[in-house]
Amino acid sequence: MNDAGNKEGHGKRTQVQGGEDERALVRSALELLGIRNFVLAIHDPSFPSDDAEDTGRGSPYTEGGHRFLRFARDLGFNGIQLGPQGETSADNASPYDGTIFSRSTLSIALARLAEDGPWGALLGPGSVKRIVAERPRGREERASHGYAHRAQRAALREAFSSFVGRRQRGELGELAARFEAFKLRNAAWLERDALYGPLCEEHRSGWFHGWSGAPELDRRLFAPGPGEVVACEERRRELLARHRDEVELYAFCQLLAHEQHAALRTVTADLGLKLYGDLQIGYSPQDAWAHQSVFLKGYLMGAPPSRTNPEGQVWNYPVLDPAQYTDASAGALALVRARMDKMFDEFDGVRIDHPHGLVCPWVYAADAPEPLRAVQGGARLFSSPDLPDHPLLSRYAIVSPAQLNRAVPRYADDWVASLTPEQVGRYSVIFDTIAACAAARGRATTDIVCEVLSTMPFPLKAVLERHGLGRFRVTQKADLDNPKDVYRSENAGPSDWIMVGTHDTPPLWRLLDAWERSGALERQAAYLATRLAPSPAEEGAMARALASDPRALAQAKLADLFASKAANVMVFFSDLLGLKEVYNAPGTISDDNWSLRVPRDYARTYPEMRARGAAMNIPRALALALRARGGAESEERRQLAARLEGRAG
């Protein structure tokens, strides 16, 4: 029997598997180890759904999504890290290319629209049943982005048609009032976002640079040139009148998405789970069009050559115009503030994707005929005072030529060798704005999570230190030959976030197979023994035991997170559940990317896999970490470790 569709049985399994006693033990262990945040990372499409609501893509707003959150809570997690939740196109499932204000309508739980309640049964039960019945079969472990996109749009049109008809008959008065209030409250971005789709249809291109034909004004509708302000206003009024129905549909779908997210906030708060959003560094095509007046002309943002991507990466993302950093009430900083205010209204904390792009972005010429070559020859926007191949960047330089280390590549972390406090302040303008938005919404600086991976240029390091923020420590990438490597757990500090892997890396369980084939298990085991053995005399025996048992080594790899000094531990859902499939392979395009889902029968399979060490055993990992840490509280830790082992199975 499929437990995903068995509500009562599913809940019982979770309680037996985890239960109040185990959760209390886990929380006690986290407190003793100084772990402030224990967060499970999972993106919207990956959530499981109940059988009757599964449209081919997951969502945290479904009943199955809520149940998985309770499952995570019962295991001891106190936070959930979602991915970016912007609207994506039919042919691009990457959440990091989604919109910055509009929410993904793919995450709207259609089954809830068929129920009596806040949305007045806008869909008939037959509509949801049909979508569920027709979803692609044979790949239940993956989200079907294309199918979900088509089916969701059709269902939402049906729901909107129902809403319009019933509103005309004087029904749904409360919902209609909420709709009007929502439009007024979010008018600043709703109109722009709603017009982009109709204009793409009209000009037969999903990218505004590809729009052809009259009127040319459409390309810069919200960024008028000299003498075009009146003409753009008239054109906007004309378009809003012509596409009134589409604009209303767009706004209504956004109301549903935002209200379902608000309902989720109530669920996570009741569960004691902090909810983290994800602020992507990139901009969708419609955002690049709608906000083009705040972007720097002639340059785009990408990723320079690095340890992870030696060739660099062509992102084609616009970069904020530094000339607009002086006025906090308009332009680039106003856009940053609007994004952050919305994020902190909707989440308890925020992950900043690639914060380099907000402090020292790597830029390259937008019109270069060979983009990859241009990226490789790019430069840091604020750290290039005298580069002959980028003379235009000198006007934005914060550092002088004398402060550069010419002995290293310009993308190296130590390209900038020194900074004055005043210069750090100039690099920190956007982060200062983010911190101010967090404080205004009652959030602590520690609620800001910075995705700093293998590279941390000196200006970024200085800005993070200014705000007391840490970096990511992804331990599966640790260089075991370099004691100073940034990914080694012993180099983590209390403000850091530590994890085995992220959504961009292979799962731990897949790595185990690779390490076993390559003979790397022994080296991993020897390293972990130095981190986890209660005493030096026990390191040899532990190393031999771990090398002979890959599953025991996996638990030790997870225990290493808790044994570090980092106060924040994050686990990606595939590492928790023992999955070997990859969620995202960076730089590749396929139907499998961004599509891995929690197995439908996770409530049954996880306890079984955990018992035999094939999935993360949180009590066992914590017990290992407690014994390793020892110290003044060693007796208390030993006793708690023994109790956790009793729960580990």
Side-chain angles (χ1 to χ4, degrees):
M1 181 176 180
N2 192 325
D3 290 310
N6 182 349
K7 295 184 180 180
E8 184 179 359
H10 192 139
K12 287 181 179 178
R13 285 183 184 275
T14 302
Q15 185 67 17
V16 169
Q17 195 299 98
E20 187 66 32
D21 290 342
E22 179 172 307
R23 186 163 73 246
L25 286 174
V26 168
R27 296 292 171 87
S28 296
L30 295 175
E31 185 176 356
L32 270 180
L33 292 166
I35 307 297
R36 182 187 308 113
N37 295 301
F38 181 34
V39 175
L40 179 64
I42 179 172
H43 291 184
D44 283 26
S46 300
F47 276 86
S49 300
D50 286 352
D51 291 342
E53 63 181 357
D54 195 340
T55 60
R57 180 190 187 273
S59 166
Y61 309 143
T62 62
E63 185 58 37
H66 289 181
R67 190 168 295 106
F68 185 73
L69 294 174
R70 292 194 289 273
F71 169 81
R73 185 276 313 269
D74 287 347
L75 293 179
F77 289 97
N78 59 19
I80 300 293
Q81 173 69 69
L82 300 178
Q85 291 186 299
E87 192 80 287
T88 53
S89 63
D91 58 355
N92 183 3
S94 172
Y96 292 92
D97 290 333
T99 51
I100 61 175
F101 291 116
S102 291
R103 288 191 154 277
S104 173
T105 53
L106 291 179
S107 289
I108 294 173
L110 294 182
R112 299 198 184 279
L113 303 185
E115 303 168 349
D116 290 329
W119 303 293
L122 294 173
L123 284 179
S127 298
V128 179
K129 288 181 180 178
R130 182 177 62 256
I131 293 172
V132 170
E134 294 177 356
R135 73 175 187 267
R137 305 296 175 178
R139 50 176 286 126
E140 282 75 13
E141 77 286 356
R142 295 279 177 180
S144 299
H145 178 78
Y147 173 78
H149 194 278
R150 293 188 300 274
Q152 198 88 351
R153 287 174 68 88
L156 291 174
R157 283 186 178 276
E158 179 186 336
F160 179 64
S161 177
S162 174
F163 167 74
V164 170
R166 293 170 65 182
R167 181 176 58 178
Q168 290 173 347
R169 296 193 297 272
E171 304 172 16
L172 301 176
E174 183 183 348
L175 179 58
R178 298 203 310 269
F179 182 38
E180 295 305 317
F182 176 80
K183 288 191 293 183
L184 286 174
R185 190 167 59 250
N186 297 284
W189 57 266
L190 260 179
E191 178 183 305
R192 298 173 187 237
D193 285 10
L195 281 177
Y196 190 72
L199 282 171
C200 287
E201 291 289 331
E202 186 172 317
H203 295 293
R204 299 182 180 181
S205 174
W207 177 232
F208 70 98
H209 286 303
W211 293 352
S212 59
E216 171 68 19
L217 206 62
D218 289 355
R219 289 187 183 176
R220 50 187 182 278
L221 198 60
F222 294 95
E228 293 181 334
V229 174
V230 173
C232 282
E233 289 178 352
E234 292 177 349
R235 176 62 174 164
R236 287 200 297 271
R237 285 195 293 270
E238 174 193 340
L239 289 168
L240 287 169
R242 185 195 310 170
H243 299 292
R244 181 179 181 276
D245 290 344
E246 286 297 309
V247 170
E248 285 284 286
L249 168 63
Y250 191 96
F252 185 73
C253 293
Q254 285 302 308
L255 169 73
L256 298 178
H258 281 75
E259 288 197 340
Q260 289 198 357
H261 183 77
L264 174 69
R265 291 291 307 283
T266 300
V267 171
T268 54
D270 288 346
L271 291 173
L273 293 170
K274 291 177 67 173
L275 192 64
Y276 290 84
D278 196 337
L279 189 93
Q280 75 266 32
I281 195 61
Y283 296 88
S284 70
Q286 74 188 59
D287 290 315
W289 168 76
H291 304 286
Q292 60 188 282
S293 62
V294 308
F295 296 128
L296 181 63
K297 302 295 188 293
Y299 277 93
L300 294 170
M301 184 194 309
S306 68
R307 168 176 167 177
T308 305
N309 295 281
E311 289 190 338
Q313 297 180 74
V314 177
W315 285 348
N316 287 323
Y317 291 147
V319 60
L320 295 171
D321 183 358
Q324 301 183 31
Y325 282 16
T326 56
D327 186 353
S329 64
L333 291 187
L335 179 64
V336 172
R337 192 175 62 254
R339 288 187 73 185
M340 297 313 306
D341 283 347
K342 190 170 188 291
M343 290 293 286
F344 285 120
D345 279 342
E346 297 173 350
F347 295 97
D348 302 305
V350 176
R351 172 188 182 273
I352 306 292
D353 173 50
H354 192 70
H356 314 56
L358 303 177
V359 175
C360 50
W362 183 263
V363 298
Y364 60 99
D367 59 356
E370 299 181 60
L372 182 57
R373 184 181 295 272
V375 165
Q376 294 168 348
R380 296 280 179 199
L381 179 56
F382 301 116
S383 309
S384 306
D386 61 351
L387 297 182
D389 52 339
H390 291 285
L392 296 179
L393 296 186
S394 62
R395 71 185 69 176
Y396 306 116
I398 293 175
V399 294
S400 70
Q403 291 175 288
L404 300 181
N405 176 10
R406 310 281 183 169
V408 300
R410 63 182 70 162
Y411 55 78
D413 285 357
D414 52 351
W415 167 252
V416 174
S418 64
L419 288 172
T420 67
E422 185 273 337
Q423 288 173 320
V424 174
R426 290 175 64 190
Y427 274 108
S428 189
V429 168
I430 292 181
F431 258 81
D432 290 352
T433 302
I434 292 172
C437 290
R441 294 304 194 276
R443 307 290 187 262
T445 307
T446 51
D447 294 327
I448 300 171
V449 183
C450 293
E451 187 231 18
V452 179
L453 298 172
S454 60
T455 62
M456 184 160 66
F458 181 59
L460 177 59
K461 181 175 184 291
V463 168
L464 295 186
E465 289 176 349
R466 174 185 174 98
H467 291 283
L469 296 169
R471 66 179 300 162
F472 275 21
R473 307 283 182 174
V474 187
T475 62
Q476 69 165 260
K477 297 183 177 184
D479 182 351
L480 303 186
D481 292 323
N482 180 7
K484 296 182 179 180
D485 184 66
V486 298
Y487 288 137
R488 290 170 69 122
S489 61
E490 64 266 37
N491 295 326
S495 62
D496 291 332
W497 286 74
I498 192 166
M499 60 217 68
V500 172
T502 70
H503 64 264
D504 286 330
T505 62
L508 170 61
W509 312 96
R510 189 183 190 92
L511 285 177
L512 283 180
D513 293 341
W515 288 341
E516 194 166 19
R517 288 193 302 270
S518 66
L521 283 180
E522 289 77 8
R523 298 200 63 214
Q524 289 286 337
Y527 168 72
L528 290 169
T530 66
R531 299 286 299 135
L532 297 173
S535 69
E538 298 172 81
E539 287 182 15
M542 176 176 275
R544 289 189 294 274
L546 295 179
S548 65
D549 186 349
R551 291 180 177 179
L553 187 141
Q555 303 305 325
K557 193 72 175 173
L558 294 161
D560 185 37
L561 307 179
F562 300 112
S564 77
K565 294 180 180 179
N568 312 286
V569 174
M570 188 179 294
V571 177
F572 194 58
F573 79 94
S574 55
D575 284 337
L576 169 69
L577 299 176
L579 307 183
K580 293 186 178 182
E581 295 81 5
V582 172
Y583 176 67
N584 174 52
T588 64
I589 299 175
S590 75
D591 290 340
D592 283 347
N593 255 22
W594 311 106
S595 67
L596 184 66
R597 296 184 68 180
V598 171
R600 295 169 67 83
D601 58 350
Y602 72 92
R604 176 183 60 81
T605 59
Y606 172 73
E608 296 172 355
M609 294 175 68
R610 171 178 124 157
R612 63 177 195 270
M616 183 178 185
N617 190 322
I618 295 171
R620 179 155 295 151
L622 285 169
L624 283 168
L626 286 165
R627 294 192 180 101
R629 288 282 286 269
E633 299 170 318
S634 58
E635 182 57 34
E636 183 179 2
R637 286 176 175 154
R638 278 196 294 270
Q639 291 179 7
L640 183 54
R643 292 165 64 194
L644 284 163
E645 279 290 2
R647 297 292 304 182

